Amino acid sequence: MKIRSKLPDVGITIFTLMSALAAEHEAINLSQGFPDFDVDPDLLALVDKYMQSGYNQYAPMQGVPALREMIAEKTQQLYNAVYDPYAEITITSGATEALFAAISAVVHPGDEVIVIEPAFDCYVPAITLNGGVPVFVKLNFPDYHIDWDDVQAAISSKTRLIILNSPHNPTGAVLSDEDISALKRIVEDTNVLIISDEVYEHIIFDGLVHESMARHPELAQRSFVISSFGKTYHTTGWKIGYCLAPEPLSAEFQRVHQFLTFASNTPIQFAYAEFMQKKDAYLELAKFYQKKRDKFLALIETSRFKAVPCKGTYFQMLDYASISDESDIEFSKRLTIEHGVASIPPSVFYHDNEDHRVLRFCFAKKDETLERAAEKLCKI
Ligand code: PMP
Ligand code: GLN
């Protein structure tokens, strides 16, 4: 039997490959982005409470109302944006599902989608599966800023969507208010929609402010704002995310979501809804991760790696140009196998595998893990 692949150029994701290589060689895994520390015991107790007390059947398709209400309240407090919890907020099975649903909801065959590279790996396959055409615009190395003239030049009459991600994985760059002004000018008087991947919204450093699309009514009215509880509550394995969008966009979003997963995990939604009352858990997260970033940077200061400034996320890019002229893929493999530290080669996030001789390291780790990793990195 012959199967005609719909994604013939796609292999196993780099996260799966590098985590497997790290396990095989017992390397310290700073590749795939996930914390190695524990979840707040109160949150675990809440999941247990809801499971034990019978909240184990399907949740409403749009998500548990209590959770949607808490998200609406948080969004109003942080971004001064009003979303109707019953018509404009959908709970999803991770941000990954939300991204797929949003792309599927609006991209028709032949539509162009502007993708800023390096780009998180699930955007382009979702565009391709829907018959869309990715149009790539590269961030400018080494500070990874967006040149908005490049974005303007990439826009055509076929442009349906721009996908943005701030704080940005893998580079740690964040959108500034100048970026927002430029974006407003570009999309004004067009039918271009925006997907804003804001899963690292609470992990932003040095006093910078997260420029959520939700903050800007002119942009919010054409945006799907997507976030994930996994990053905020150290629960990447629970796979719950959400999408904020004005009513007409949310209606299209839910048309897809209801047939993609129908609904997401019930007891975990109830647990998050109650846990969200503890606002410090997200308000203090930036401080927590800034300490981790600074600790990691201090630990590797004497190494031959050069840090690329990281303004948000839990990823630090390190330039290894003074150590090796191998490609980032070759060097990351050798670093894992011979030196015992796994990382991610960012060239896999470019359609043409652009390579700047940098690697991405995840610092969402216990201090002791960072110390052990840094000791190895400093010996190279
Ligand atoms: N977008 C970005 C930029 C991410 O780093 C991740 C991390 N996994 C996701 C989306 C997906 O989030 P989730 O695990 O909630 O599906
Ligand atoms: N977002 C995480 C990262 O960038 C992991 C995503 C995944 O494994 N699919 O490392």
Side-chain angles (χ1 to χ4, degrees):
M1 204 164 56
K2 255 207 177 131
I3 299 173
R4 218 173 111 218
S5 175
K6 296 191 80 175
L7 292 172
D9 303 326
V10 166
I12 304 290
T13 84
I14 192 68
F15 306 114
T16 308
L17 290 177
M18 289 312 291
S19 280
L21 196 67
E24 185 188 339
H25 295 277
E26 290 175 13
I28 301 170
N29 189 2
L30 306 190
S31 66
Q32 193 177 21
F34 62 87
D36 73 345
F37 36 79
D38 280 336
V39 177
D40 188 318
D42 293 349
L43 179 54
L44 296 178
L46 286 169
V47 175
D48 187 51
K49 177 179 98 174
Y50 285 106
M51 280 190 174
Q52 299 291 352
S53 50
Y55 291 80
N56 296 305
Q57 309 313 327
Y58 294 124
M61 178 274 278
Q62 305 89 333
V64 163
L67 183 56
R68 287 183 278 148
E69 284 162 11
M70 289 305 290
I71 293 168
E73 187 187 315
K74 183 194 87 165
T75 309
Q76 176 149 29
Q77 280 170 4
L78 292 184
Y79 308 132
N80 198 24
V82 178
Y83 285 90
D84 176 350
Y86 306 106
E88 299 182 315
I89 300 180
T90 315
I91 309 298
T92 59
S93 298
T96 308
E97 193 236 323
L99 288 158
F100 195 89
I103 291 168
S104 304
V106 297
V107 173
H108 292 256
D111 283 352
E112 293 180 358
V113 181
I114 298 191
V115 176
I116 313 281
E117 287 189 318
F120 187 59
D121 66 344
C122 73
Y123 306 156
V124 172
I127 296 165
T128 313
L129 284 173
N130 283 289
V133 180
V135 175
F136 297 103
V137 173
K138 285 179 180 166
L139 292 175
N140 285 272
F141 185 77
D143 69 347
Y144 294 108
H145 70 273
I146 297 178
D147 184 333
W148 291 98
D149 290 337
D150 293 346
V151 176
Q152 180 72 71
I155 300 236
S156 80
S157 58
K158 292 188 187 155
T159 308
R160 174 86 293 227
L161 195 60
I162 300 183
I163 304 182
L164 294 167
N165 167 217
S166 179
H168 185 259
N169 177 9
T171 68
V174 304
L175 289 177
S176 65
D177 55 352
E178 288 91 34
D179 291 315
I180 295 292
S181 304
L183 176 62
K184 281 181 189 166
R185 276 197 302 276
I186 287 178
V187 296
E188 203 180 9
D189 301 324
T190 71
N191 287 320
V192 175
L193 299 171
I194 297 168
I195 290 181
S196 185
D197 179 347
E198 304 186 9
V199 300
Y200 301 101
E201 63 182 317
H202 301 299
I203 311 179
I204 182 158
F205 308 134
D206 307 319
L208 292 167
V209 169
H210 171 56
E211 288 291 356
S212 175
M213 290 304 132
R215 273 186 202 282
H216 305 279
E218 316 90 297
L219 298 174
Q221 50 113 358
R222 59 173 82 233
S223 295
F224 298 93
V225 177
I226 290 170
S227 194
S228 170
F229 290 98
K231 319 289 166 184
T232 304
Y233 296 120
H234 316 315
T235 49
T236 61
W238 294 6
K239 296 298 292 187
I240 301 285
Y242 60 89
C243 174
L244 313 173
E247 205 271 331
L249 291 181
S250 279
E252 293 303 325
F253 181 92
Q254 290 178 1
R255 282 187 166 147
V256 178
H257 164 74
Q258 66 184 343
F259 297 122
L260 204 48
T261 60
F262 182 67
S264 301
N265 186 302
T266 306
I268 290 178
Q269 290 191 57
F270 277 100
Y272 280 141
E274 192 168 333
F275 193 71
M276 278 183 82
Q277 288 163 11
K278 233 171 131 172
K279 294 187 180 148
D280 280 358
Y282 55 83
L283 295 176
E284 299 291 318
L285 196 65
K287 213 191 293 168
F288 171 80
Y289 274 123
Q290 184 165 328
K291 260 201 204 150
K292 291 275 177 208
R293 178 200 65 176
D294 292 346
K295 172 151 192 102
F296 184 53
L297 288 177
L299 286 166
I300 57 152
E301 210 184 344
T302 57
S303 78
R304 290 160 67 205
F305 290 92
K306 199 173 116 221
V308 175
C310 161
K311 298 175 181 168
T313 75
Y314 45 52
F315 302 115
Q316 176 66 57
M317 297 275 258
L318 297 180
D319 181 324
Y320 64 86
S322 71
I323 301 174
S324 167
D325 57 11
E326 286 160 283
S327 72
D328 64 358
I329 293 179
E330 283 165 41
F331 188 61
S332 66
K333 280 190 186 155
R334 199 158 67 76
L335 200 61
T336 309
I337 297 167
E338 291 177 19
H339 299 281
V341 183
S343 59
I344 293 287
S347 65
V348 300
F349 300 133
Y350 288 94
H351 73 288
D352 60 358
N353 297 113
E354 187 164 303
D355 186 346
H356 296 286
R357 309 277 187 274
V358 292
L359 293 176
R360 189 199 82 172
F361 294 81
C362 174
F363 55 79
K365 304 293 167 192
K366 293 175 195 147
D367 285 358
E368 159 213 320
T369 311
L370 295 177
E371 281 156 15
R372 283 192 298 122
E375 199 184 317
K376 291 176 186 290
L377 295 176
C378 287
K379 283 192 191 137
I380 298 166

